[in-house]
C-alpha cells in the first residue's frame, strides 16, 4: 500500500527543476535511498547518500547495468525510454561485453592529442564568438555553451558541420522530449543518420573517431558502432554543454571567480570543480539493476528494478561525505565511479575549461544581465541545464586595432593523412 510518505516523488516537474536540492533535502528523510518517479509510471530508487552511491557504483557483482531485465515494464510511449532502454554500447552492458565496448572508446579517444583538441576548441570558440562579439550581448547557453560541444564532437567524429543543427535537435529530442512521439522520432532519425556515417567511413576511412571505431580490433558491428557513437555524442554533448554553462553562471555571478581580466582570484578550473561538486551537469543517472533483492543502507530494493545515482544529492549530502575540504576533484561523483566511470572525463574538462578561458579572454568585462537566483532551468529527471544565460559586454569590432576573434592567427597544424590508426590533429570546423 502506497502512503504519502512512500509515494514516489516526481523528478520531471517545473518545481523540481527550479530547486532540486530542496527535493533532495526532503528525500533524505528516507535515508540513503528514496522512491522517485522519472516520468509518469516510471518508478525508481534514487541513491542520495555518498557511501551508498559508491557501494552501487563499485559493485558490479550485485548491480548490473543491463536494463533488459526491467525494460519490458517501461511504457513503450514513455519519454524516458530512449535514455533507459538497452543498446549495444558500454553504458548498458556488463563484464566482458562492457570491457570490449569500453576499450574501443578509450583506445579511439587516446588517438586525439590534447594539444590538438585544445586548438580545436580555440578555433571553434573563436568562430562562435565572432557571431556575437560586435553585439555586446549574448545568450551564453544557446549561442555558446550548447553549440560548442556539438561542433567539437561533430568534428571529432567526422560529421559535416552543416549537420550540426539537425544533430542537436535529435539529441535534445530523445534526451528531454516531452512526448513519446517526439522522443522516438528523434531517436530513429539520429540512428539513421549515424548508419549512413558509419557506412561512409567503412568505404572511406579518415582520421576521426568514427573511422577508428570502425577499424578497431574489437571488430564492432555496424549497429555496435552506431550505438557507441550515439552514446558518446549524447553523453558528451549534454553534460559538457551544461558544465560550461553552469560554470560560467557561477563565475559571472561571484566576484571571487571573475570580475575583469585583471581581477578575480579563482579560475575557470575552480568554477568547474565547484560545479562538479555542487551543481553537476547531470544530476541523476548511472542506472543499475540489482541481480537479487538487496538491502542498501536500510532500503529494501527488489531484484531487477532501476536504481539511479543522484550525483548531486550524494555530492552535497550533509553528513555522508569523506572528511576534509572538497579540493579533490576526483572525490565527487559527477563522472560516476567504478568500472562504469566516465571513460573520457579529461577531454570533457579540457573542452569546458578551454572554452570558458577563451570566452573570458576575448570578452574581459562580460557579466550576467540577471541575478543568479533568477536564472531558470530546464525540467527533466537527469540533467541540470539552464534555459538561458543572458550576458552583456563591451562590443568588439572586427576592424578594431589589436588581436580579436576575427584576426587571431590560426594554428598551422593540419590533419594527418587519413588512416584509421594515425593520431589526429583534428581539423577546424
Amino acid at each position: 500500500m502506497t502512503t504519502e510518505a512512500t509515494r514516489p516523488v516526481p523528478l520531471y516537474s517545473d518545481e523540481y527543476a527550479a530547486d532540486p536540492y530542496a527535493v533532495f533535502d526532503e528525500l533524505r528523510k528516507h535515508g540513503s535511498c528514496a522512491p522517485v518517479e522519472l516520468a509518469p509510471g516510471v518508478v525508481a530508487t534514487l541513491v542520495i547518500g555518498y557511501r551508498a552511491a559508491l557501494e552501487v557504483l563499485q559493485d558490479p557483482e550485485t548491480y548490473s547495468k543491463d536494463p533488459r531485465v526491467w525494460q519490458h515494464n517501461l511504457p513503450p510511449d514513455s519519454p524516458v525510454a530512449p535514455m533507459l532502454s538497452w543498446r549495444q554500447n558500454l553504458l548498458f552492458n556488463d563484464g566482458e561485453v562492457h570491457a570490449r565496448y569500453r576499450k574501443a572508446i578509450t583506445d579511439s579517444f587516446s588517438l586525439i592529442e590534447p594539444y590538438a583538441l585544445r586548438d580545436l576548441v580555440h578555433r571553434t570558440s573563436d568562430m562562435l564568438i565572432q557571431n556575437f562579439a560586435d553585439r555586446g550581448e549574448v545568450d551564453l547557453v544557446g549561442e555558446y555553451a550548447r553549440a560548442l560541444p556539438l561542433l567539437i564532437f561533430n568534428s571529432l567524429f567526422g560529421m559535416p558541420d552543416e549537420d550540426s543543427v539537425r544533430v542537436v535537435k535529435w539529441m535534445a529530442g530523445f534526451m528531454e522530449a516531452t512526448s513519446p512521439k517526439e522522443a522516438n522520432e528523434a531517436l530513429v532519425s539520429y540512428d539513421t543518420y549515424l548508419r549512413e556515417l558509419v557506412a561512409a567511413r567503412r568505404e572511406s576511412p579518415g582520421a576521426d573517431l568514427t573511422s577508428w571505431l570502425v577499424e578497431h580490433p574489437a571488430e564492432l558491428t555496424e549497429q555496435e558502432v552506431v550505438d557507441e557513437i550515439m552514446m558518446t555524442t549524447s553523453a558528451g554533448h549534454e553534460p559538457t554543454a551544461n558544465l560550461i554553462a553552469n560554470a560560467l553562471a557561477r563565475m559571472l555571478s561571484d566576484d571571487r571567480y571573475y570580475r575583469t581580466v585583471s581581477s578575480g582570484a579563482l579560475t575557470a578550473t575552480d568554477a568547474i570543480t565547484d560545479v562538479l561538486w555542487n551543481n553537476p551537469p547531470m544530476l541523476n543517472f548511472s542506472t543499475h539493476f540489482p541481480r537479487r533483492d538487496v538491502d542498501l543502507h536500510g532500503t529494501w530494493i527488489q531484484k531487477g528494478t532501476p536504481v539511479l545515482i543522484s550525483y548531486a544529492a550524494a555530492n552535497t549530502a550533509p553528513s555522508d561525505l569523506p572528511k576534509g575540504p572538497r579540493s579533490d576533484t576526483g572525490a565527487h561523483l559527477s563522472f560516476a565511479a567504478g568500472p562504469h566511470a566516465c571513460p573520457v572525463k579529461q577531454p570533457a574538462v579540457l573542452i569546458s575549461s578551454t572554452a570558458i578561458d577563451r570566452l573570458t579572454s576575448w570578452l574581459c568585462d562580460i557579466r550576467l544581465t540577471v541575478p543568479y537566483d533568477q536564472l531558470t532551468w530546464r525540467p527533466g529527471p537527469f540533467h541540470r541545464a539552464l534555459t538561458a544565460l543572458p550576458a552583456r559586454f563591451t562590443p568588439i569590432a572586427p576592424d578594431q586595432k589589436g588581436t580579436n576573434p576575427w584576426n587571431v592567427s590560426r594554428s598551422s597544424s593540419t590533419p594527418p593523412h587519413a588512416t584509421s590508426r594515425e593520431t589526429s590533429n583534428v581539423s577546424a570546423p
Side-chain angles (χ1 to χ4, degrees):
M1 177 179 178
T2 301
T3 65
E4 191 66 32
T6 61
R7 182 173 291 117
V9 175
L11 301 184
Y12 49 87
S13 65
D14 291 337
E15 293 76 16
Y16 168 76
D19 191 358
Y21 296 92
V23 174
F24 296 149
D25 285 342
E26 286 297 313
L27 291 176
R28 287 194 178 99
K29 296 176 181 178
H30 294 271
S32 293
C33 307
V36 295
E37 193 175 41
L38 306 177
V42 183
V43 176
T45 298
L46 188 68
V47 182
I48 56 180
Y50 185 95
R51 298 188 188 283
L54 276 180
E55 189 171 312
V56 174
L57 292 169
Q58 297 177 342
D59 185 4
E61 298 302 316
T62 302
Y63 299 94
S64 168
K65 291 284 290 179
D66 191 332
R68 286 176 290 183
V69 297
W70 164 81
Q71 69 182 47
H72 61 278
N73 296 312
L74 185 64
D77 59 351
S78 174
V80 297
M83 289 287 287
L84 298 178
S85 297
W86 180 82
R87 295 186 76 90
Q88 297 179 67
N89 59 40
L90 77 168
L91 186 62
F92 295 120
N93 290 274
D94 302 310
E96 293 182 3
V97 176
H98 165 258
R100 173 171 166 263
Y101 291 152
R102 187 179 179 92
K103 184 169 176 54
I105 291 292
T106 55
D107 286 352
S108 297
F109 268 89
S110 72
L111 297 174
I112 301 171
E113 296 288 356
Y115 81 88
L117 179 57
R118 186 176 292 106
D119 184 66
L120 175 61
V121 178
H122 282 167
R123 290 181 275 116
T124 306
S125 299
D126 290 351
M127 182 185 70
L128 292 172
I129 293 168
Q130 288 171 22
N131 294 331
F132 55 78
D134 59 351
R135 281 205 327 255
E137 59 182 16
V138 61
D139 169 18
L140 289 171
V141 169
E143 297 180 80
Y144 195 68
R146 291 193 69 77
L148 187 140
L150 180 66
L151 291 170
I152 296 295
F153 279 97
N154 274 14
S155 179
L156 294 179
F157 280 95
M159 302 178 191
D161 295 326
E162 57 268 25
D163 292 342
S164 297
V165 174
R166 289 193 298 162
V167 171
V168 75
K169 179 181 178 181
W170 293 328
M171 287 197 291
F174 65 77
M175 291 189 73
E176 56 189 75
T178 56
S179 74
K181 183 174 183 292
E182 177 189 356
N184 186 64
E185 288 178 351
L187 189 63
V188 170
S189 296
Y190 194 30
D191 186 280
T192 301
Y193 173 83
L194 291 179
R195 287 179 183 278
E196 295 172 355
L197 176 67
V198 171
R201 288 299 177 270
R202 285 197 188 278
E203 182 71 24
S204 180
D208 56 64
L209 287 167
T210 301
S211 299
W212 297 332
L213 286 171
V214 165
E215 295 199 353
H216 190 272
E219 298 183 335
L220 302 175
T221 66
E222 178 185 87
Q223 187 61 56
E224 288 175 328
V225 176
V226 167
D227 286 354
E228 290 274 66
I229 297 173
M230 183 175 292
M231 181 279 303
T232 307
T233 53
S234 57
H237 175 260
E238 182 72 19
T240 305
N242 296 344
L243 182 56
I244 294 171
N246 296 358
L248 277 169
R250 186 61 57 96
M251 287 182 69
L252 301 181
S253 61
D254 188 334
D255 286 346
R256 294 176 304 163
Y257 286 96
Y258 180 80
R259 288 196 302 275
T260 70
V261 72
S262 60
S263 64
L266 300 178
T267 66
T269 300
D270 293 313
I272 287 170
T273 301
D274 188 350
V275 165
L276 289 171
W277 266 109
N278 298 301
N279 200 29
M282 297 295 284
L283 292 177
N284 317 299
F285 206 48
S286 288
T287 313
H288 290 73
F289 302 87
R291 301 177 189 273
R292 54 179 173 78
D293 293 351
V294 296
D295 180 351
L296 181 61
H297 288 230
T299 297
W300 190 252
I301 304 175
Q302 289 186 336
K303 172 184 176 180
T305 59
V307 176
L308 273 72
I309 305 299
S310 178
Y311 312 129
N315 285 350
T316 56
S319 61
D320 196 27
L321 288 169
K323 301 300 182 183
R326 299 183 187 180
S327 59
D328 179 1
T329 58
H332 63 73
L333 299 181
S334 295
F335 291 117
H340 283 271
C342 176
V344 290
K345 61 182 179 182
Q346 286 85 5
V349 172
L350 186 153
I351 291 169
S352 301
S353 61
T354 304
I356 293 171
D357 283 337
R358 198 68 167 178
L359 177 81
T360 54
S361 66
W362 288 129
L363 310 177
C364 58
D365 65 347
I366 191 167
R367 58 205 179 276
L368 298 185
T369 59
V370 298
Y372 183 88
D373 59 6
Q374 292 182 19
L375 297 174
T376 58
W377 305 84
R378 299 194 336 252
F382 307 118
H383 55 240
R384 182 61 167 164
L386 286 160
T387 59
L389 189 61
R392 291 196 185 101
F393 52 88
T394 301
I396 299 176
D399 57 353
Q400 73 182 43
K401 291 182 179 180
T403 305
N404 62 49
W406 288 272
N407 62 26
V408 65
S409 61
R410 300 303 190 195
S411 168
S412 61
S413 65
T414 56
H417 185 269
T419 62
S420 62
R421 305 313 301 169
E422 277 193 285
T423 300
S424 175
N425 288 331
V426 291
S427 57

